[in-house]
Amino acid sequence: MFNDGYAKDTENAEEHRRDILTIQMMREEFDVFDAHLRALKRKEYRMMHSYLIGEKEMQDIADEEHMLCEPARNKISKTKKPLMSTWRTSEICRNNRGLGRRG
């Protein structure tokens, strides 16, 4: 999938190669996360989508779903746990491949 020709004849070829691989990996992780998000039930998807993109306040999400704020918060928390577990698993795999965050 990676073409070494992109970084050829550049000053920092290895750094560019790492950056390209990181971006490819991030795209793959996003696709996995997005697939898990879209697999949620319609109500859970609406709530999580609004929550994740910061589109609405928790009270607005609860009102739209005809719920009290605390049960809506609990529903999002319960739904978020498996999604975040997916992300953490991907991050562990990335770190094991030597492509973790650089400081």
Side-chain angles (χ1 to χ4, degrees):
M1 193 167 180
F2 175 72
N3 181 347
D4 281 325
Y6 291 124
K8 187 177 166 184
D9 298 326
T10 62
E11 217 171 282
N12 299 316
E14 185 56 33
E15 184 177 339
H16 292 304
R17 181 180 178 282
R18 252 193 336 263
D19 290 345
I20 291 168
L21 289 172
T22 299
I23 291 168
Q24 288 175 340
M25 185 188 50
M26 288 170 62
R27 180 69 216 182
E28 291 169 9
E29 289 177 4
F30 173 80
D31 289 343
V32 169
F33 182 84
D34 190 52
H36 283 275
L37 185 63
R38 292 183 183 281
L40 295 173
K41 295 177 184 171
R42 188 175 301 170
K43 181 177 183 174
E44 291 172 336
Y45 174 82
R46 276 194 318 262
M47 292 175 72
M48 283 303 299
H49 186 263
S50 295
Y51 171 78
L52 288 171
I53 65 172
E55 180 179 68
K56 298 175 183 153
E57 297 292 324
M58 186 61 67
Q59 186 61 56
D60 296 328
I61 294 171
D63 290 345
E64 281 187 3
E65 298 300 331
H66 309 288
M67 301 174 76
L68 296 173
C69 194
E70 193 58 31
R73 187 181 329 275
N74 291 341
K75 182 76 167 171
I76 286 174
S77 179
K78 183 179 176 185
T79 303
K80 186 171 72 170
K81 284 179 185 177
L83 290 173
M84 296 311 291
S85 176
T86 299
W87 177 79
R88 282 190 202 103
T89 301
S90 294
E91 185 176 39
I92 290 167
C93 291
R94 179 176 62 242
N95 288 336
N96 287 340
R97 287 186 279 176
L99 296 171
R101 292 188 180 119
R102 288 177 279 157

